[in-house]
Amino acid sequence: MIQPKETVAIGWCDNGMVDGKFTEGLMSAVITGGANKMPITTSIRVQGNQIGRQRQVLWDYWADKMKTDWLLWVDSDIVLTPEVMQKLWATADKHHRPVVSGVYFISKENEGTLMKPYPVLFNDVSEYQVQYVHPLPQNEVIKCDSAGFGLVLMHKSIIPTMREKYPNQSMFMETSTGNDEQFIGEDIIFFRKMKAAGIPLHAHTGALVKHMKRFSLDYDYYGMYWTMDNIQKKMKEQPN
């Protein structure tokens, strides 16, 4: 349970431009934070074009310069709502759930006619492979191995543990540590380091936000796509 006097900062990385819906959601979250007993006291913005380095700069600045108890990471194409913020805030706990992710959706087939949506929550299969948490459980708090960094609330108590485990290392490398240096992604790398340090990751599957891509990838689209996909499969299985 988060204590009344604990404070939170909002941090994000961008390339100098953000979506208008992101700004609208950000302002809404800040304005309603007090009413939701979520005291947002500051924000941190890191501009650039190398996301791994930007995230590391934000992490270090929060760790060394800011005094807030919590940091809410939000990507600049995510649309925050007060309801989602409240769910994350009510779920997080510095002892038992120090890192809690919300849920948004991505598609690896952006050039296709119809994008296939998946939640950005993962469980490990191998060193280079993850599987989506799909179908997505409805409105539950679950454990998972990794997530995207688009909407993550974390407590500052994890910093000493991470730094002791990985002294003088980037927390947001984009490649494996092996000789092949295979690309994995800075968010997956971070959560694998966190898992190895003994820090659990939870996700609230009811804390759903829109992800602004070619069009809004949200839960309505996710549900509609996979409902129709199941209907088509059943139709193909029926005899002519």
Side-chain angles (χ1 to χ4, degrees), residues 96-208:
H96 304 294
R97 291 186 292 272
V99 183
V100 180
S101 175
V103 182
Y104 57 102
F105 302 93
I106 61 169
S107 174
K108 296 299 185 182
E109 301 174 342
N110 291 332
E111 301 305 320
T113 303
L114 193 62
M115 290 195 288
K116 184 183 293 186
Y118 289 99
V120 189
L121 301 176
F122 311 101
N123 286 314
D124 291 335
V125 175
S126 67
E127 183 179 359
Y128 300 127
Q129 195 174 11
V130 295
Q131 63 181 8
Y132 294 98
V133 177
H134 169 77
L136 182 71
Q138 292 190 11
N139 204 32
E140 295 180 16
V141 177
I142 63 172
K143 273 190 173 183
C144 52
D145 290 326
S146 57
F149 248 80
L151 185 63
V152 177
L153 179 64
M154 63 175 56
H155 192 264
K156 187 164 276 184
S157 60
I158 74 170
I159 293 173
T161 304
M162 295 284 283
R163 284 182 165 177
E164 182 178 355
K165 178 76 173 178
Y166 303 102
N168 303 316
Q169 289 188 30
S170 169
M171 301 298 171
F172 298 94
M173 297 170 61
E174 295 183 306
T175 59
S176 67
T177 56
N179 293 329
D180 54 356
E181 295 188 346
Q182 183 167 332
F183 176 82
I184 296 178
E186 88 289 343
D187 42 12
I188 304 296
I189 291 289
F190 178 91
F191 286 115
R192 285 186 172 176
K193 287 178 179 286
M194 194 177 83
K195 181 181 178 182
I199 301 167
L201 170 64
H202 291 81
H204 194 318
T205 67
L208 298 153

Side-chain angles (χ1 to χ4, degrees), residues 8 10 36 44 48 51 58 95 128 142 158 183 185 187 193 203 239:
V8 61
I10 294 181
N36 290 332
I44 312 169
I51 188 61
L58 201 159
H95 298 296
Y128 300 127
I142 63 172
I158 74 170
F183 176 82
D187 42 12
K193 287 178 179 286

Side-chain angles (χ1 to χ4, degrees), residues 75-89:
D75 278 354
S76 58
D77 54 3
I78 292 295
V79 183
L80 285 173
T81 66
E83 293 77 16
V84 165
M85 298 278 286
Q86 196 169 23
K87 286 182 178 180
L88 292 179
W89 195 238

